[in-house]
Amino acid sequence: MRFDVLTLFPEMFPGYLSQSLLNLAIERELVDVQIHNIRDWAKGKHKNVDDRPFGGGPGMVLSPEPVVECVEAVQQMDSPPGRVVMLTPGGRQFGQRVVEEYSHEERLLLLCGRYEGFDQRVVDILQPDELSIGDFVLNGGEVAAMVVIDAVVRLVPGVLGDEQSNKQDSFSSENRLLEFAQYTRPREYRGHAVPEVLLSGNHPEIAEWRKQNSLERTRQRRSDLLTSEEDKSGNSTD
Ligand code: 6GU
């Protein structure tokens, strides 16, 4: 799968891309990530990419020409042209359903904004998927683009060693519950013991404990994820 990131801050990406799981996927040619500087498509000696908003107000708006021309040029660099995703706090909410949908794409273009946002004509002309990673405001779309890449590459076949592990992930189509608590050595730390059942070697009992622990954590923290059968109130003593 190929990602093209279009940004005014390309220097934000090399550190992220060198992280072990992603770097290994890139070395194995399962994933390709190309970073493009929108400013390279700006005209004039000052290479301006933004301007003051018509109608007044604070901040600067990204000009339509360098953005549209950058997207079109990057699409023409390779085939297929790829689906255009604009990272913006006003977009549709990102979640594991969107991750699953994007994991079937051969190529994604991730368009990162800064300042007060994009000129509306960028949206009108390119008709991108507008995507937000949550109800908070970031300084730009770059960190959100990394979030999208990070979540989507986990579903690219061969990226995770163990193909089971993403099926068991919370929020996947096959597991809507939060993950159960995990423990490793030592068996006791500062007076906190590992639950006895996990040391028992009794795998049916361990599976049952994990299922109950997942349900309990989901009831306490994210009851919105439960169906009525799963009992939003629970029978616990919390
Ligand atoms: Cl995609 N961009 C910005 N600037 N802020 C955000 C966001 C994106 N998603 C949530 N907040």
Side-chain angles (χ1 to χ4, degrees):
M1 176 165 189
R2 171 168 172 161
F3 298 89
D4 291 88
V5 180
L6 287 57
T7 172
L8 289 165
F9 297 91
E11 65 280 7
M12 289 176 68
F13 288 87
Y16 166 64
L17 296 174
S18 66
Q19 167 249 352
S20 64
L21 183 118
L22 185 55
N23 189 44
L24 211 62
I26 292 169
E27 278 180 5
R28 289 183 185 144
E29 299 185 356
L30 300 169
V31 174
D32 183 14
V33 185
Q34 298 294 326
I35 310 296
H36 310 274
N37 190 344
I38 296 168
R39 196 174 297 278
D40 293 344
W41 278 266
K43 300 218 167 74
K45 74 167 188 250
H46 297 293
K47 300 267 176 205
N48 285 330
V49 291
D50 60 351
D51 207 338
R52 294 173 325 198
F54 280 123
M60 299 289 271
V61 177
L62 286 176
S63 304
E65 306 97 316
V67 176
V68 170
E69 280 154 42
C70 179
V71 169
E72 289 175 345
V74 168
Q75 286 191 306
Q76 284 163 20
M77 285 174 184
D78 207 342
S79 157
R83 184 161 168 185
V84 182
V85 177
M86 174 187 276
L87 286 317
T88 165
R92 126 170 113 132
Q93 168 97 236
F94 190 57
Q96 198 65 24
R97 293 298 87 79
V98 182
V99 175
E100 286 167 7
E101 181 188 325
Y102 286 173
S103 72
H104 299 117
E105 297 284 338
E106 204 174 316
R107 186 178 182 199
L108 283 185
L109 271 67
L110 301 172
L111 180 53
C112 305
R114 284 262 153 176
Y115 313 107
E116 300 308 303
F118 296 93
D119 184 295
Q120 179 60 31
R121 273 91 42 102
V122 174
V123 176
D124 298 343
I125 292 165
L126 299 173
Q127 298 184 268
D129 271 10
E130 295 178 78
L131 198 69
S132 162
I133 62 162
D135 292 343
F136 40 80
V137 179
L138 302 171
N139 291 320
E142 286 77 10
V143 171
M146 293 181 206
V147 167
V148 173
I149 295 170
D150 218 80
V152 173
V153 296
R154 294 175 54 78
L155 300 190
V156 172
V159 168
L160 299 185
D162 176 2
E163 289 306 312
Q164 275 307 309
S165 54
N166 64 41
K167 296 207 166 59
Q168 290 166 10
D169 282 349
S170 300
F171 315 114
S172 75
S173 307
E174 307 185 27
N175 176 24
R176 296 158 305 102
L177 302 179
L178 301 184
E179 298 207 320
F180 49 78
Q182 295 273 23
Y183 296 88
T184 185
R185 293 191 297 175
R187 286 178 174 218
E188 190 180 313
Y189 180 61
R190 298 195 181 185
H192 295 252
V194 174
E196 205 61 44
V197 58
L198 299 180
L199 311 173
S200 69
N202 185 332
H203 293 288
E205 270 190 38
I206 291 169
E208 183 56 27
W209 182 89
R210 286 177 164 171
K211 194 175 130 200
Q212 290 306 321
N213 185 264
S214 280
L215 255 176
E216 191 55 36
R217 286 158 80 105
T218 311
R219 276 184 192 124
Q220 286 172 353
R221 303 169 187 192
R222 292 294 308 276
S223 61
D224 58 298
L225 298 176
L226 296 174
T227 62
S228 46
E229 288 146 82
E230 284 162 331
D231 190 3
K232 295 184 199 257
S233 59
N235 48 15
S236 69
T237 52
D238 57 33

